[in-house]
């Protein structure tokens, strides 16, 4: 690791790098495939953005991964546990915030793997909960009979006893015409998907308990629990507020604690998102697809190194460490982690201050590798 520390130190001292695209040598093209031998996965919250504002010189750092014409040069993607919007909408949002072109393929969100469950639940009634447009997300994946928690709860009189005291108006997904209330009340919910961080915890916990205790028919007799899926299990995450905010993992803990107190059987659920190793395997596959489409080559392509740049040791760094070779973890100090030294329980391969410094290190390291070939 000494040579990495020296390289990082030298890299971070250099402040004369242009924020434009690097020289061709930074591509470190594999001789056998003429494609980059490395790829990069960036977390978003706390690494690229704080709220909706870029952080850590991220726009300039990302620009170095494109050539002078604006075409992608180094394969990279955003690997986030966040969500609530279809990948195409999130890519458009990131493009506007960062001032560069981001394709939907470059956005892997916590709920992205939900599309693999279409064969199982594609035609069944499912409920999608969370901020943003959860039902639109699921519909975009191919679920034909999905309804948002907002719309579903509104079909039941008095299901939320606190509704009269809530002064806000929850938004409705506008991707479909409103359905028949009578038709919904008589159909069983086969699965509930927590697509993004829920907004109204009290209502969502109440309605989910109703769905999960009754076999998918709120107000009816106790029945087998429908399936429950969470897009991630993050206890907290970094926003523009100085300290971390509670995430979907906290909501899961609250729901599970209450459900287990009022029901005879413990809550059964499946959580996706980082740090699950399959998320990193999927990211590797997507990066291969990006590399193939960017460099117009067909066939398989193996990376020598994949870099994970994140701010959360328990999520980003732990996940990269569990995934193993070829992942190399880089921890930034712009989000959840703010320590002076490396994290004790889940140490990264490298700790830097910002995403800009992380990219600087990567390009310098890969250029040095190329010069030795």
């Amino acid at each position: 690791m000494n040579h990495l520390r020296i390289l990082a130190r030298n890299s971070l001292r250099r402040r004369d790098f242009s924020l434009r695209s690097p020289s061709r040598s930074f591509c470190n093209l594999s001789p056998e495939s003429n494609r980059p031998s490395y790829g990069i996965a960036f977390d978003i919250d706390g690494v690229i953005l704080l709220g909706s504002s870029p952080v850590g010189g991220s726009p300039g750092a990302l620009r170095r991964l494109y050539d002078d014409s604006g075409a992608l040069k180094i394969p990279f993607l955003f690997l986030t546990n966040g969500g609530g919007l279809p990948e195409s909408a999130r890519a458009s949002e990131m493009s506007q915030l960062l001032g560069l072109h981001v394709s939907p393929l470059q956005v892997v969100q916590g709920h992205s793997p939900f599309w693999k469950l279409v064969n199982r639940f594609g035609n069944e009634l499912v409920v999608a909960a969370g901020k943003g447009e959860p039902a639109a997300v699921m519909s975009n994946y191919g679920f034909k009979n999905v309804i948002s928690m907002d719309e579903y709860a509104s079909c039941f009189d008095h299901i939320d006893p606190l509704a009269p005291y809530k002064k806000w108006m929850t938004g409705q997904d506008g991707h479909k015409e409103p359905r028949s209330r009578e038709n919904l009340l008589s159909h069983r919910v086969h699965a509930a998907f927590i697509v993004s961080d829920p907004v109204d915890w009290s209502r969502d916990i109440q309605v989910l308990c109703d769905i999960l205790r009754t076999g998918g028919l709120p107000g009816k007799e106790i029945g087998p629990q429908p399936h429950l899926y969470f897009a991630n299990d993050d206890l907290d995450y970094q926003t523009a507020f100085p300290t971390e905010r509670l995430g979907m993992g906290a909501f899961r803990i609250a729901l599970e604690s209450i459900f287990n107190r009022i029901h005879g059987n413990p809550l059964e659920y499946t959580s996706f998102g980082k740090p699950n190793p399959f998320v990193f395997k999927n990211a590797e596959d997507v990066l291969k697809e990006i590399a193939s489409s960017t460099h117009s080559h067909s066939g398989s392509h193996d990376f020598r190194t994949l870099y994970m740049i994140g701010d959360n040791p328990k999520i980003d760094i732990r996940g990269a460490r569990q995934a193993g070779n070829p992942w190399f973890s880089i921890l930034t100090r712009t989000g959840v982690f703010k320590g002076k030294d490396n994290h004790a329980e889940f140490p990264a391969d490298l700790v830097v201050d910002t995403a800009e410094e992380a990219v600087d290190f990567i390009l310098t390291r890969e250029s040095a590798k190329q010069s030795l070939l």
Side-chain angles (χ1 to χ4, degrees):
M1 291 294 292
N2 288 335
H3 69 288
L4 291 180
R5 295 191 184 96
I6 294 172
L7 181 58
R9 187 166 57 248
N10 292 339
S11 168
L12 300 184
R13 285 174 178 169
R14 295 177 61 182
R15 294 300 178 203
D16 56 347
F17 277 123
S18 169
L19 291 184
R20 298 174 61 212
S21 302
S23 65
R24 298 296 298 186
S25 62
F26 278 140
C27 276
N28 195 5
L29 299 180
S30 301
E32 70 276 12
S33 64
N34 199 36
R35 287 186 299 199
S37 64
Y38 65 100
I40 308 173
F42 295 89
D43 184 27
I44 295 180
D45 295 319
V47 175
I48 301 298
L49 302 173
L50 284 180
S52 59
S53 300
V55 67
S58 58
L62 293 171
R63 239 174 260 131
R64 299 177 70 184
L65 307 181
Y66 294 78
D67 65 20
D68 291 330
S69 69
L72 187 64
K73 191 174 182 180
I74 306 300
F76 80 88
L77 54 72
F78 297 109
L79 185 61
T80 175
N81 277 353
L85 294 175
E87 282 72 14
S88 57
R90 193 70 191 275
S92 177
E93 178 184 80
M94 295 296 291
S95 297
Q96 294 179 355
L97 292 174
L98 298 171
L100 44 85
H101 175 68
V102 177
S103 75
L105 185 59
Q106 290 176 276
V107 178
V108 179
Q109 303 183 94
H111 51 67
S112 294
F114 284 174
W115 72 268
K116 296 182 179 180
L117 295 169
V118 169
N119 290 338
R120 187 173 185 181
F121 300 107
N123 295 312
E124 307 291 354
L125 177 62
V126 300
V127 172
K131 66 180 182 181
E133 304 171 7
V137 167
M138 301 298 286
S139 180
N140 191 60
Y141 291 154
F143 292 84
K144 297 179 177 62
N145 199 14
V146 58
I147 184 171
S148 70
M149 177 63 80
D150 291 340
E151 185 180 352
Y152 187 74
S154 69
C155 294
F156 294 83
D157 294 333
H158 313 300
I159 196 170
D160 179 10
L162 300 179
Y165 304 97
K166 295 174 180 176
K167 305 301 181 183
W168 70 83
M169 294 291 291
T170 53
Q172 300 280 342
D173 276 357
H175 72 294
K176 289 184 178 179
E177 291 295 323
R179 22 197 120 200
S180 165
R181 178 177 182 270
E182 291 72 20
N183 188 43
L184 273 174
L185 297 182
S186 62
H187 279 73
R188 186 182 305 276
V189 174
H190 287 260
F193 292 84
I194 315 303
V195 175
S196 50
D197 293 331
V199 176
D200 187 347
W201 280 36
S202 67
R203 182 204 64 185
D204 290 2
I205 289 175
Q206 177 67 74
V207 177
L208 284 169
C209 283
D210 289 330
I211 292 172
L212 299 171
R213 294 177 69 200
T214 62
L217 293 169
K220 306 298 183 181
E221 297 297 323
I222 302 299
Q225 182 199 311
H227 297 275
L228 175 63
Y229 298 95
F230 292 89
N232 70 70
D233 202 38
D234 288 2
L235 180 63
D236 52 22
Y237 64 101
Q238 188 66 54
T239 68
F241 195 75
T243 55
E244 297 80 34
R245 303 292 85 193
L246 296 177
M248 192 180 298
F251 176 83
R252 191 267 304 162
I253 292 172
L255 172 63
E256 184 175 18
S257 298
I258 294 171
F259 183 87
N260 290 350
R261 288 290 296 271
I262 65 176
H263 192 59
N265 298 320
L267 182 69
E268 296 180 359
Y269 63 89
T270 301
S271 292
F272 290 80
K274 298 173 292 185
N276 292 315
F278 74 83
V279 172
F280 289 83
K281 179 60 175 68
N282 178 64
E284 181 177 358
D285 292 340
V286 175
L287 283 167
K288 288 179 181 179
E289 186 176 351
I290 293 171
S292 296
S293 62
T294 301
H295 296 272
S296 303
H297 286 272
S298 59
S300 61
H301 174 66
D302 292 326
F303 292 101
R304 295 198 188 102
T305 309
L306 291 173
Y307 295 93
M308 176 69 227
I309 304 176
D311 69 305
N312 193 327
K314 296 179 181 179
I315 302 298
D316 305 309
I317 306 308
R318 179 185 180 186
R321 285 167 55 90
Q322 289 178 341
N325 186 63
W327 287 93
F328 183 101
S329 58
I330 302 179
L331 181 60
T332 69
R333 296 187 175 94
T334 45
V336 171
F337 180 77
K338 300 177 181 67
K340 179 180 179 181
D341 299 317
N342 210 333
H343 192 263
E345 186 177 2
F346 302 109
D349 293 305
L350 179 71
V351 180
V352 297
D353 286 336
T354 64
E356 183 178 28
E357 293 180 354
V359 170
D360 193 12
F361 166 81
I362 292 170
L363 298 182
T364 303
R365 182 180 190 234
E366 294 298 327
S367 178
K369 285 184 183 180
Q370 181 68 11
S371 66
L372 296 175
L373 295 178

